[in-house]
Amino acid sequence: MRVKSGEFMSWPNVAGAFAVMAIFVLQVMWIPSYAATWDMVDFALGVLHFDMYQMQPHFPGYPYFILGGKVLHLMVGDPVQALTLFNIILYGSAIIPLFLLMKRIVRPAYAGMAAAIVYTSSFTVLMVNQPMSEGAAVGVMWWYIWSLVFANERTHNGFLILPLFLFSLLLGIRLSYLVFGIGILMVLYRKWKEGMVTFLDTFVYLLIAILFQLLWVAGISMSEGGYESFLRLGLSFTNGHFQEWGGTIRASGLSLLDRIVKLIFVNTIWVGGVGESLLLLILMVVGLAAVRKDSHGNRYMTSLMLMLMGSYFLWALFAQNVMKPRHALPLIGIALFLGAGKLLSQRLSRAGFKLVLSFLLLQVYHTSTLLYKHASDVPAVYQMADYLESEGKGKPLVVYTWEESRVLEYLDVPFIHKKVQTYEVFTTDAGYYPERDIYLTDKVVEGFKKQGIQVDGFVKVEKHFHSSELIDPIYHDLTLYKWEKQREEEEG
């Protein structure tokens, strides 16, 4: 049944439109210029000079993301801001597929508001305003999901080319969204079951999908010296990711139950769903509790969404770092979509409308405050760099770090800094600087302790640095220690 365009003209949709426009404008106004993590530096350096052997960026190269940053870098001088702006543009375009999907499952008068609830999600918008590939990937993800639904609804099989192409763009931006390929298999299976495609047709479409992926794989391979070189980089990276530093179930010390609790209740609901806002959480729980069981929507689209969410949940649980909530962004977006769709598929009472509107307005306010905080607060690593630079003017120093060294290198600080992971290497290297003050970050000290080295008697706290945990869950708290062992040896 066709819906008349006039049915979309309603106060809820007007409110949704203003909410989206307000957030988009604030995103553009408050673009931060900080590259405060190792990955951010990788991406920023990749815009300036693409070289995967130098981890600029790391495997698999994120070619479409870097390409977007390079194009905007022609107009925006800062590579960090260029990448962030690319995220904002792609995510901003996602309001179109969000609306087109929502109007299939909610009342026309609520479609704009429902799409706005998903779009203005506080944590998602905050992550979009970082020079990381997740922001662009989430934007393309919504276009891809819409293309799956669109292709399924059309009788002409030529429309299947659209999701195959968009899936290539998605993986060329963020390869970890590979599991979303199950959506293509679902559409092909449904059409095969209904007799719309043959087995040979299915094989041809899968071949086309592979060829689309080879567009960016071939480009990256040629830039890095061929397919053999590209595969060598891939094997090296995945070995480290799954065994040492990637935060996967093999690399982390968390039990399976701890990972499940962290992924669902912390990353997806508390951090991702409501941006650590208790009031938003209360409104969300009340709203979902008010959903009538007889509310209904597009069953196929709902089953597709659930399959995509379930597949990514397993991938995030076993192969992603659950200590970083940004890896749960697809779960957050799809969960909000299904929740808003379920609630607004029924006619709201006056009280229900006020509840939903209150949630949307509060979310916009909360998102705005987070965006401002993100743009104005100085990351802890930057604070440490400024402090050490001022200290180094009085007496030369050396600071031993963990991943922070990548950021210090990007900032081109005027003092010596070295990444160190073992106590033996540290003591040997520090011996070369008897006349310099020696500093260590807390990550280095913690690493020594895990190696069985007790260093508490040889270090003293120099200074604490703090920034937002929501923005940077790993390095938001940073303690700088001063090494005292050399001084004690000299006195002895």
Side-chain angles (χ1 to χ4, degrees):
M1 183 178 66
R2 290 185 175 274
V3 179
K4 297 180 180 179
S5 59
E7 296 185 38
F8 292 103
M9 295 302 298
S10 63
W11 285 113
N13 286 345
V14 170
F18 274 106
V20 170
M21 287 189 291
I23 291 300
F24 181 81
V25 170
L26 293 178
Q27 283 183 279
V28 175
M29 286 176 53
W30 293 331
I31 298 180
S33 57
Y34 301 121
T37 68
W38 185 293
D39 288 339
M40 290 182 185
V41 172
D42 284 355
F43 287 126
L45 292 177
V47 171
L48 298 176
H49 176 66
F50 188 91
D51 187 348
M52 285 172 57
Y53 276 100
Q54 299 298 321
M55 295 192 74
Q56 298 180 197
H58 57 68
F59 181 86
Y62 309 83
Y64 295 135
F65 180 58
I66 297 299
L67 179 61
K70 281 183 174 291
V71 171
L72 290 176
H73 188 234
L74 299 174
M75 298 173 283
V76 180
D78 187 343
V80 172
Q81 292 186 327
L83 288 170
T84 303
L85 184 59
F86 181 64
N87 278 342
I88 293 171
I89 292 171
L90 276 189
Y91 184 69
S93 73
I95 190 62
I96 298 173
L98 273 172
F99 177 80
L100 295 175
L101 289 169
M102 275 296 185
K103 75 185 188 68
R104 287 168 164 82
I105 60 173
V106 306
R107 299 174 65 87
Y110 302 145
M113 173 179 275
I117 288 174
V118 181
Y119 181 90
T120 61
S121 172
S122 300
F123 182 71
T124 300
V125 171
L126 189 63
M127 292 300 101
V128 170
N129 267 49
Q130 291 189 351
M132 299 289 288
S133 61
E134 280 91 352
V138 170
V140 176
M141 179 193 77
W142 286 116
W143 279 107
Y144 168 66
I145 294 175
W146 166 79
S147 72
L148 291 173
V149 176
F150 182 77
N152 178 73
E153 293 173 344
R154 294 298 181 271
T155 56
H156 196 293
N157 292 330
F159 289 102
L160 285 168
I161 300 296
L162 183 58
L164 303 183
F165 173 70
L166 288 173
F167 188 55
S168 173
L169 290 182
L170 183 62
L171 298 194
I173 292 174
R174 187 155 188 85
L175 186 60
S176 61
Y177 286 15
L178 175 65
V179 291
F180 286 134
I182 196 171
I184 293 173
L185 298 179
M186 286 184 65
V187 174
L188 288 173
Y189 174 75
R190 184 181 177 93
K191 285 186 174 290
W192 172 78
K193 191 175 180 180
E194 294 177 353
M196 299 177 67
V197 297
T198 64
F199 180 79
L200 179 60
D201 293 334
T202 302
F203 175 79
V204 170
Y205 284 117
L206 292 177
L207 179 61
I208 292 173
I210 294 173
L211 292 175
F212 276 137
Q213 300 299 335
L214 287 177
L215 287 176
W216 65 267
V217 172
I220 290 291
S221 298
M222 287 188 290
S223 71
E224 299 302 316
Y227 287 104
E228 183 179 346
S229 178
F230 179 75
L231 290 174
R232 192 183 306 118
L233 279 169
L235 291 173
S236 174
F237 176 80
T238 53
N239 181 66
H241 177 78
F242 285 101
Q243 296 185 18
E244 301 173 16
W245 42 262
T248 67
I249 195 168
R250 290 176 61 185
S252 70
L254 297 176
S255 68
L256 179 59
L257 179 60
D258 290 337
R259 291 178 69 89
I260 292 173
V261 171
K262 176 76 172 175
L263 182 57
I264 296 176
F265 296 102
V266 179
N267 296 357
T268 305
I269 298 177
W270 175 240
V271 174
V274 297
E276 298 184 348
S277 168
L278 182 59
L279 186 53
L280 276 176
L281 179 63
I282 293 173
L283 291 176
M284 176 183 287
V285 171
V286 173
L288 293 177
V291 174
R292 294 196 299 267
K293 292 183 179 180
D294 61 344
S295 60
H296 59 85
N298 187 311
R299 290 186 178 181
Y300 169 75
M301 193 172 78
T302 301
S303 64
L304 173 66
M305 293 277 196
L306 289 173
M307 178 62 74
L308 294 176
M309 186 166 67
S311 301
Y312 189 84
F313 173 81
L314 294 175
W315 172 254
L317 180 65
F318 291 103
Q320 295 286 286
N321 190 346
V322 296
M323 300 309 295
K324 297 179 180 179
R326 61 184 172 86
H327 289 156
L329 282 177
L331 302 178
I332 297 163
I334 296 175
L336 283 173
F337 181 94
L338 294 174
K342 195 72 172 176
L343 178 61
L344 297 175
S345 63
Q346 55 191 339
R347 185 176 182 83
L348 295 178
S349 63
R350 184 180 296 271
F353 172 70
K354 290 181 179 179
L355 176 68
V356 177
L357 182 61
S358 297
F359 179 88
L360 177 61
L361 295 178
L362 179 61
Q363 181 167 264
V364 169
Y365 171 76
H366 187 54
T367 302
S368 302
T369 58
L370 290 177
L371 284 173
Y372 178 76
K373 181 178 178 63
H374 185 21
S376 58
D377 283 10
V378 179
V381 180
Y382 276 60
Q383 296 175 34
M384 182 188 73
D386 291 339
Y387 176 79
L388 288 172
E389 185 172 349
S390 63
E391 288 294 302
K393 293 177 181 178
K395 185 179 180 180
L397 60 88
V398 182
V399 57
Y400 292 88
T401 71
W402 203 264
E403 292 186 357
E404 306 98 325
S405 187
R406 184 69 161 171
V407 180
L408 299 179
E409 178 185 358
Y410 179 74
L411 294 175
D412 194 23
V413 294
F415 52 83
I416 298 175
H417 57 90
K418 297 191 176 185
K419 181 183 178 183
V420 65
Q421 292 181 308
T422 63
Y423 182 73
E424 290 77 11
V425 172
F426 163 70
T427 53
T428 300
D429 193 82
Y432 298 131
Y433 304 101
E435 303 301 323
R436 292 176 180 264
D437 286 336
I438 305 297
Y439 294 92
L440 306 90
T441 63
D442 52 348
K443 298 295 183 184
V444 174
V445 173
E446 291 168 8
F448 290 166
K449 290 180 179 179
K450 289 179 180 179
Q451 296 164 30
I453 308 297
Q454 295 302 318
V455 296
D456 291 337
F458 306 128
V459 296
K460 71 171 185 178
V461 175
E462 177 73 13
K463 195 172 181 61
H464 294 289
F465 305 97
H466 179 76
S467 53
S468 172
E469 181 179 3
L470 193 62
I471 297 170
D472 183 5
I474 305 298
Y475 289 98
H476 61 282
D477 272 323
L478 199 157
T479 302
L480 186 68
Y481 292 91
K482 193 169 186 178
W483 184 250
E484 296 291 310
K485 187 174 183 179
Q486 287 180 319
R487 188 170 291 111
E488 289 185 5
E489 290 176 342
E490 291 169 1
E491 291 173 355

